[in-house]
Amino acid sequence: MPALTMESLNKTYGTVRALRDLSMEVRGGEIVGFVGSNGAGKSTAMRIVLGVLEADSGEVQWDGRPIDLGIRRRIGYMPEERGLYPRMKVSDQLVYLAKLHGLDTASAKASMERWTEVLGIAERRADEILKLSLGNQQRVQLAAALVHSPDILVLDEPFSGLDPVAVDVMSGVLRDQAAAGVPVLFSSHQLELVESLCDRVGIIKSGSMVKFGGIEELRRTDDRRWVVDGPPAASWVSAVPSARVVSTDGRRSVVEVRGQSADGVDQELLRAAMASGPVHEFSLLRPSLTELYRHVVTTDAVAAERETVSA
């Protein structure tokens, strides 16, 4: 399937380096989450894809070709700041935007009706945007990104301000789009949602991509932790080199092995525990995306501080 590719993007605003050799790929049929703190460079990268900004260097490609105006007309874009006409009716607005993307009047109207129905705002078609709640405005904004049946979806904080029901609706729409072969790229600060929804995730910090990969791939670390429900860990953990008890309530313990390959360590831990008594649970404890993000940001901050001190 075609892929949206960003290759070594660089962007500077005066003395501020917004992007630093940022590279990323979103394949057709997958959902990729883009996470990072405010000012990390997420919106800048997305605006370069859209052609709103121009990179100082690097290239954006679709299906191996540089993105031109024709391809950009096939992108569905949802900005973080709502880009809707506040005094225009929902139906008129969506039909107008669809026609800007090349649909005829009948097709534009049919698409407007479809997406307002799917997104649960059909009864608000005759309302002006300013009369809608923030959550419904967000639904209209997503409908605007979808109304022309785009080949690519680029969404900047699409879940911002949505209630749980609306989050479920929007998540379902993104999954359906990916299932139809559309590459979906979205940014979000809601890391639990990113973890549950995305095939791959990119973590950006200070304009650089510091981690990129599948959720399970990102959650693999050199330090492994296991949950052991059985005999007190203090009675057996010393039998395994480099193992230590992270936490325990007496019977249920979290045990960590640092700086070793996972191959065979789990069996060694299990044998040591079973030698001391019956084991009711033994499972690998993988870090959540939230924990991983905090670790990446903290590690980078500590490294930067050390470089500053050594300089």
Side-chain angles (χ1 to χ4, degrees), residues 2 7 14 35 40 46 66 106 111 120-121 134-135 161 186 194 203 277 286 288 304 311:
E7 289 285 350
V35 303
M46 291 180 169
S111 185
I121 48 174
L134 294 180
F186 78 92
V194 171
I203 301 177
R286 294 193 182 278
S288 67

Side-chain angles (χ1 to χ4, degrees), residues 18-19 22 24 32-44 46 80 156-157 185-191 194 201-211 289-290 292-294 296-297 300:
L19 294 180
L22 185 130
M24 181 182 217
V32 171
F34 204 14
V35 303
S37 59
N38 291 330
K42 304 184 300 297
S43 295
T44 295
M46 291 180 169
E80 183 177 7
D156 200 351
E157 294 291 344
L185 172 65
F186 78 92
S187 67
S188 180
H189 292 293
Q190 297 167 257
L191 299 185
V194 171
V201 175
I203 301 177
I204 183 174
K205 185 175 188 299
S206 301
S208 297
M209 188 70 75
V210 291
K211 292 282 185 179
L289 182 59
T290 299
L292 175 65
Y293 176 76
R294 287 174 180 156
V296 168
V297 171
D300 283 0

Side-chain angles (χ1 to χ4, degrees), residues 29-99:
E30 75 171 349
I31 302 175
V32 171
F34 204 14
V35 303
S37 59
N38 291 330
K42 304 184 300 297
S43 295
T44 295
M46 291 180 169
R47 289 167 182 165
I48 288 173
V49 171
L50 267 292
V52 176
L53 294 175
E54 184 177 351
D56 297 335
S57 62
E59 190 172 45
V60 181
Q61 296 185 343
W62 168 244
D63 196 17
R65 303 189 312 254
I67 286 187
D68 57 19
L69 179 59
I71 295 173
R72 287 194 171 99
R73 293 187 68 182
R74 305 301 311 146
I75 298 176
Y77 176 53
M78 183 174 177
E80 183 177 7
E81 305 84 8
R82 292 181 180 86
L84 303 170
Y85 298 107
R87 294 194 174 278
M88 200 170 184
K89 293 180 180 179
V90 170
S91 59
D92 293 343
Q93 182 138 195
L94 294 176
V95 168
Y96 170 70
L97 293 172
K99 291 171 72 174

Side-chain angles (χ1 to χ4, degrees), residues 102-302:
L103 275 68
D104 59 44
T105 301
S107 298
K109 183 178 179 182
S111 185
M112 175 275 295
E113 291 174 347
R114 175 197 173 197
W115 284 113
T116 51
E117 191 72 42
V118 168
L119 293 169
I121 48 174
E123 72 281 1
R124 310 307 298 269
R125 290 171 185 161
D127 291 347
E128 294 178 349
I129 296 297
L130 61 81
K131 295 180 180 179
L132 302 180
S133 67
L134 294 180
N136 279 337
Q137 288 183 28
Q138 195 78 335
R139 295 187 194 212
V140 176
Q141 190 78 70
L142 179 61
L146 293 164
V147 73
H148 59 292
S149 301
D151 294 330
I152 308 165
L153 271 179
V154 178
L155 313 173
D156 200 351
E157 294 291 344
F159 296 95
S160 176
L162 295 182
D163 61 61
V165 173
V167 167
D168 290 342
V169 170
M170 191 168 290
S171 298
V173 168
L174 299 192
R175 288 190 181 101
D176 289 343
Q177 290 295 299
V182 175
V184 179
L185 172 65
F186 78 92
S187 67
S188 180
H189 292 293
Q190 297 167 257
L191 299 185
E192 290 183 1
L193 179 61
V194 171
E195 185 171 0
S196 66
L197 188 58
C198 293
D199 300 295
R200 292 193 292 167
V201 175
I203 301 177
I204 183 174
K205 185 175 188 299
S206 301
S208 297
M209 188 70 75
V210 291
K211 292 282 185 179
F212 185 68
I215 296 294
E216 288 306 311
E217 177 186 351
L218 293 180
R219 292 171 70 186
R220 295 192 194 103
T221 61
D222 292 336
D223 300 337
R224 300 296 181 90
R225 293 183 176 185
W226 286 264
V227 176
V228 184
D229 187 349
S235 66
W236 57 266
V237 74
S238 60
V240 181
S242 302
R244 70 182 185 96
V245 180
V246 175
S247 64
T248 183
D249 62 6
R251 198 179 84 169
R252 185 181 175 89
S253 304
V254 175
V255 177
E256 180 181 72
V257 177
R258 308 191 67 180
Q260 290 191 11
S261 167
D263 296 341
V265 174
D266 55 348
Q267 296 303 310
E268 190 176 354
L269 283 171
L270 181 57
R271 283 193 297 268
M274 292 180 66
S276 294
V279 175
H280 306 287
E281 179 187 355
F282 184 82
S283 59
L284 183 64
L285 183 64
R286 294 193 182 278
S288 67
L289 182 59
T290 299
E291 292 169 329
L292 175 65
Y293 176 76
R294 287 174 180 156
H295 174 73
V296 168
V297 171
T298 302
T299 300
D300 283 0
V302 170

